[in-house]
Amino acid sequence: MDYDVFNGDADGICALLQLRKAEPRDAQLVTGVKRDINLLSKIDPAAGDRLTVLDISMDKNKQGLATALEAGAEVFYVDHHFPGDIPEHASLVSLINESPDVCTAALVNGHLQGAYLDWAVTGAFGDNLKETARTLAKGLDIASEDLDRLEQLGTYINYNGYGPAIADLHFDPKDLYLHLAEAQSALDFVSASAHFRTLAEGYTQDMGAAEAVQASLASAEVAIFMLPNEAWARRVSGVFSNDLATANPERAHAVLTAKDNGNYLVSVRAPLANKQGAAELCMQFPTGGGRAGAAGINDLPADQLEAFEAAFQAAYGA
């Protein structure tokens, strides 16, 4: 059996779109909300199975990876998050690059030698790697207006992945992937799909609500925003963080969204001018992880809020 295991954000989805357009497979799709990354634990691979694993931390999936390899499965693993110790195994092929200017869709693009570059550009935009996306896009013969549309698409796909549960999203990431896969190209999806319009309308409404929120702490170096326990806030937390980082490239940002259990979902963005330290900061707390430029904490206990704020300011304050 074939399994396609991928993060439910723009990077994971666009990475898989490239691979399956290049090599179609009738694979079982395994994904979830963006923060649902322990995906290898959801399958029971056997000898001869083929696993494609995209945009989820190898470190967070090391037990599932070990189980798959011990069972005799073949694994192709592409990611840009902290991997921990990468196993040496004849049945594992891995493309891992933690550079802050690299995403999984870009790594797959290199692997496929630019065969589906429009989707790689879309994924990079969605991962808020705008300069990477624009550099890749030099290989596309499209007008600037169409490049803007790819940026919108990447942003909307990424926006759809946030939220603690599928019920908070406009589309199950699995379904959104299938809708996107039906399109001849990324721009074809933008121009012809009602699903694109649904995402665009939802994004505009949710971002309008987020932009009305004032920072609870703000300086030249850092800013913290607290969002309420509402579905729109859960959906928008990541893309709102990306927009804040783009608008203030010298400043670090933390967006905390209240949860039903009284704890917080946390999105951290290092300054775009120095994309370092976000994963290191978040990994100080349970359920924290990510990459150097962008990271998060899935469930920050309420009694650790002050400790997080202090650590955030220590990491990025003057």
Side-chain angles (χ1 to χ4, degrees), residues 85-313:
D85 294 328
I86 301 175
E88 293 186 9
H89 197 285
S91 295
L92 172 65
V93 175
S94 62
L95 299 176
I96 308 293
N97 187 334
E98 294 180 77
S99 168
D101 295 318
V102 165
C103 63
T104 306
L107 292 172
V108 170
N109 177 70
H111 174 70
L112 296 177
Q113 299 181 320
Y116 297 94
L117 183 55
D118 57 336
W119 291 112
V121 171
T122 301
F125 273 130
D127 226 31
N128 204 39
L129 298 179
K130 297 181 186 295
E131 291 307 313
T132 299
R134 293 188 180 105
T135 298
L136 288 172
K138 292 177 181 177
L140 293 174
D141 183 20
I142 60 173
S144 60
E145 294 83 358
D146 285 336
L147 185 59
D148 291 342
R149 293 184 179 96
L150 293 184
E151 181 173 1
Q152 290 173 345
L153 176 59
T155 299
Y156 299 162
I157 298 171
N158 210 49
Y159 152 77
N160 181 75
Y162 281 91
I166 297 294
D168 285 315
L169 311 182
H170 294 288
F171 300 102
D172 184 321
K174 183 187 302 184
D175 294 335
L176 181 56
Y177 163 79
L178 292 172
H179 293 316
L180 290 160
E182 292 174 353
Q184 292 299 310
S185 69
L187 288 174
D188 179 59
F189 183 84
V190 171
S191 64
S193 175
H195 305 301
F196 176 81
R197 293 189 289 276
T198 297
L199 291 174
E201 291 167 2
Y203 173 85
T204 300
Q205 182 174 341
D206 288 353
M207 282 298 290
E211 287 165 359
V213 176
Q214 299 297 310
S216 61
L217 180 151
S219 69
E221 294 83 20
V222 298
I224 296 176
F225 291 79
M226 308 290 292
L227 300 185
N229 181 18
E230 307 242 358
W232 69 262
R234 294 189 289 272
R235 286 193 297 266
V236 86
S237 62
V239 289
F240 182 48
S241 301
N242 289 344
D243 271 18
L244 290 169
T246 300
N248 302 273
E250 303 291 334
R251 191 168 73 176
H253 297 84
V255 175
L256 288 80
T257 307
K259 299 178 61 175
D260 286 339
N261 63 2
N263 295 341
Y264 298 92
L265 176 74
V266 182
S267 290
V268 173
R269 298 294 182 269
L272 289 182
N274 183 25
K275 293 186 283 188
Q276 300 295 330
E280 183 178 354
L281 167 67
C282 291
M283 288 170 67
Q284 296 177 38
F285 299 88
T287 72
R291 49 193 171 88
I297 304 169
N298 289 343
D299 193 48
L300 177 71
D303 61 6
Q304 293 190 33
L305 175 59
E306 290 187 5
F308 169 77
E309 291 177 340
F312 179 64
Q313 293 184 72

Side-chain angles (χ1 to χ4, degrees), residues 72-93:
E74 297 179 1
V75 182
F76 178 53
Y77 208 121
V78 190
D79 188 44
H80 63 135
H81 300 92
F82 173 71
D85 294 328
I86 301 175
E88 293 186 9
H89 197 285
S91 295
L92 172 65
V93 175

